[in-house]
Amino acid sequence: LRAMPAEAFCTAALPYLQKAIQTPHIALSLVAPLVQPRCDTFEDIGEQVDFFDTLPTYSNELYCHKKMKTDEENSLEALKLTLPRLEAVTNWSYDTLHDTLMGLAAELELKNGRILWPVRTALSGKAVTPGGAVELCHILGKAETLRMTRKYGEYFSALNDYVSNESDMAKSKTDYLSAVIQRSDPKFLRAFMPQMDVMCSLASYSNNGTLAI
């Protein structure tokens, strides 16, 4: 599998990716190149990428990494510094995210891992993932990155921008919101269901004011 041409691997892996990742806005074509070097069989894919749908429950010990020089305390500090920078990003591209995260590490005179490891852990809840912090932020998108790191106020701001964007199809918006509701922590839904209802109402109409089907 690792020696297959990238396009052929992506085509062959697509059914396994679709089974493991059902959140509509995730670009599977971006995930495939990340899992290819890590696969001995196609069956290996599911457990590597399931966090894209649902963030697992994990121990804060995952933030502790000797090589990255991270622990629970400095990881929390890193996230508090990083998330406002991500919130301020308007062009959610790989290059912009790379420059934002690397630039913050340089500004603080820290090794890159001191910033990247906590972000990757917060987004995946796993000790090992295909792709690092930049790739995960890029694939998840701004709103989902903020939701998974529990920046809920900023999440709904970004979500409002998304559902109000006339260049996106209404059905893709309602599909995404349905997936979030189905897979979210019940505590999140109890706390924020009124806001989700508003977002669903906004997303239920296509750009010409007709209901999405």
Side-chain angles (χ1 to χ4, degrees), residues 17 21 23-33 52 138-140:
L17 290 168
I21 304 174
T23 301
H25 78 286
I26 299 295
L28 302 182
S29 60
L30 296 179
V31 179
F52 282 112
H138 182 219
I139 292 170
L140 285 166

Side-chain angles (χ1 to χ4, degrees), residues 125-193:
K126 288 178 175 283
V128 179
T129 56
V134 178
E135 289 85 357
L136 299 191
C137 286
H138 182 219
I139 292 170
L140 285 166
K142 184 174 184 178
E144 196 66 359
T145 294
L146 295 171
R147 184 178 75 87
M148 292 178 75
T149 51
R150 298 178 174 84
K151 295 285 286 185
Y152 295 131
E154 293 81 355
Y155 166 65
F156 282 106
S157 176
L159 185 59
N160 184 71
D161 290 342
Y162 170 55
V163 298
S164 302
N165 188 342
E166 294 185 355
S167 66
D168 292 311
M169 295 297 294
K171 189 174 187 303
S172 69
K173 300 171 187 177
T174 54
D175 285 349
Y176 166 69
L177 290 168
S178 296
V180 169
I181 291 170
Q182 291 171 11
R183 296 176 175 84
S184 286
D185 184 329
K187 293 181 180 178
F188 170 84
L189 293 180
R190 285 196 295 270
F192 297 106
M193 202 62 217

Side-chain angles (χ1 to χ4, degrees), residues 22-167:
Q22 298 181 29
T23 301
H25 78 286
I26 299 295
L28 302 182
S29 60
L30 296 179
V31 179
L34 301 180
V35 298
Q36 184 174 4
R38 298 172 176 270
C39 287
D40 292 318
T41 73
F42 287 118
E43 297 295 337
D44 296 336
I45 290 175
E47 64 180 1
Q48 294 186 38
V49 302
D50 54 3
F51 66 90
F52 282 112
D53 264 4
T54 304
L55 186 67
T57 301
Y58 63 94
S59 168
N60 285 341
E61 291 181 1
L62 281 182
Y63 288 103
C64 303
H65 194 291
K66 185 176 181 180
K67 182 179 178 180
M68 300 297 177
K69 302 185 184 305
T70 58
D71 55 36
E72 292 184 34
E73 183 177 353
N74 65 30
S75 290
L76 178 59
E77 293 173 355
L79 288 171
K80 287 181 177 179
L81 292 167
T82 302
L83 293 175
R85 300 295 180 95
L86 292 175
E87 181 192 348
V89 172
T90 55
N91 176 24
W92 200 264
S93 67
Y94 178 91
D95 289 341
T96 301
L97 293 167
H98 177 276
D99 292 348
T100 297
L101 296 176
M102 299 300 185
L104 177 60
E107 178 185 324
L108 298 174
E109 298 182 342
L110 297 173
K111 295 289 188 181
N112 293 337
R114 281 284 306 279
I115 296 296
L116 300 180
W117 184 263
V119 173
R120 188 207 63 79
T121 301
L123 292 177
S124 68
K126 288 178 175 283
V128 179
T129 56
V134 178
E135 289 85 357
L136 299 191
C137 286
H138 182 219
I139 292 170
L140 285 166
K142 184 174 184 178
E144 196 66 359
T145 294
L146 295 171
R147 184 178 75 87
M148 292 178 75
T149 51
R150 298 178 174 84
K151 295 285 286 185
Y152 295 131
E154 293 81 355
Y155 166 65
F156 282 106
S157 176
L159 185 59
N160 184 71
D161 290 342
Y162 170 55
V163 298
S164 302
N165 188 342
E166 294 185 355
S167 66

